Amino acid sequence: MSELFEKQLTSKSVYCGKILDVYVDEVELPNGHTSVREYIKHVGAACVVPVDTDGNVIIEKQFRYPFNAVLTEIPAGKLDSKEEPHLQAALRELKEETGYTAEKMIYLGEYYPTCAYSDETIHMYLATGLQQGEQNLDDDEFVGVEKVPLKTLVDRIMAGEIKDGKTQTALLKAYLYLQG
């Protein structure tokens, strides 16, 4: 498949922000022509499907500005740096956003949410052996938490009611994992 690769000729940073950096690169295409690629560099993230002993998921409701809507999501957050172990980030986000800790974390794989224009990778986990504690949200973070049966969430995904991609993917993977 090497005939599909593009070669970077130039790279220019056009914006550096708090959570992402934007680049414009010139590339050589497989046919020898050149083109431009605009893309986002992201530090990466981790997300968690926390499932209690009754089969309920600790799910979140959070307002998302780009969509002007409250979305249903699993606990997630960006890595503090590219070097931070994603398991550590997953445990931190679970505790901060829901107040829960987990005895067991099962890695469900990587998810590329926007591979056409970003290098963001989200590492997905299933958390079990939950212990409830207190949320420790960031000053600019407002998150509602509730327990919902995993099967109900799967049904809501299939009905088009849960729109967040990482939440869809991780919940479906957790569901299939737990089904054996």
Side-chain angles (χ1 to χ4, degrees):
M1 291 291 158
S2 62
E3 69 275 5
L4 298 177
F5 280 83
E6 299 176 355
K7 179 182 175 186
Q8 181 187 67
L9 301 174
T10 64
S11 183
K12 180 180 177 186
S13 171
V14 295
Y15 174 79
C16 290
K18 180 179 174 184
I19 64 168
L20 57 88
D21 300 330
V22 180
Y23 288 80
V24 177
D25 290 4
E26 182 180 15
V27 298
E28 181 181 318
L29 302 172
N31 65 2
H33 296 138
T34 61
S35 189
V36 173
R37 299 289 180 249
E38 299 174 344
Y39 68 100
I40 296 167
K41 287 188 178 183
H42 188 280
V43 70
C47 66
V48 185
V49 179
V51 180
D52 69 14
T53 55
D54 296 324
N56 295 308
V57 177
I58 313 307
I59 202 81
E60 300 180 356
K61 299 285 189 172
Q62 190 169 13
F63 179 78
R64 292 303 190 179
Y65 185 81
F67 295 99
N68 194 36
V70 174
L71 300 182
T72 299
E73 300 180 54
I74 55 174
K78 70 178 189 63
L79 305 179
D80 285 341
S81 71
K82 286 265 189 197
E83 293 74 36
E84 180 184 25
H86 44 82
L87 173 59
Q88 179 179 315
L91 289 166
R92 179 186 67 246
E93 293 299 326
L94 175 64
K95 173 69 175 147
E96 285 180 4
E97 294 183 1
T98 69
Y100 283 83
T101 56
E103 290 177 12
K104 187 173 183 183
M105 296 287 281
I106 300 158
Y107 188 61
L108 298 174
E110 294 178 337
Y111 172 64
Y112 297 165
T114 53
C115 62
Y117 60 86
S118 175
D119 70 350
E120 180 180 10
T121 299
I122 301 175
H123 298 275
M124 300 175 291
Y125 285 89
L126 167 62
T128 60
L130 302 179
Q131 299 294 320
Q132 189 172 5
E134 291 190 30
Q135 281 179 308
N136 185 21
L137 299 172
D138 294 334
D139 290 339
D140 64 349
E141 196 171 32
F142 302 89
V143 176
V145 176
E146 58 185 20
K147 289 183 181 183
V148 179
L150 179 54
K151 178 64 169 95
T152 300
L153 293 169
V154 169
D155 292 343
R156 289 182 58 203
I157 289 168
M158 299 311 293
E161 297 172 15
I162 296 177
K163 304 201 183 307
D164 178 61
K166 73 180 176 310
T167 298
Q168 290 179 3
T169 302
L171 283 171
L172 293 171
K173 287 186 86 158
Y175 180 75
L176 290 172
Y177 179 91
L178 292 169
Q179 295 297 309

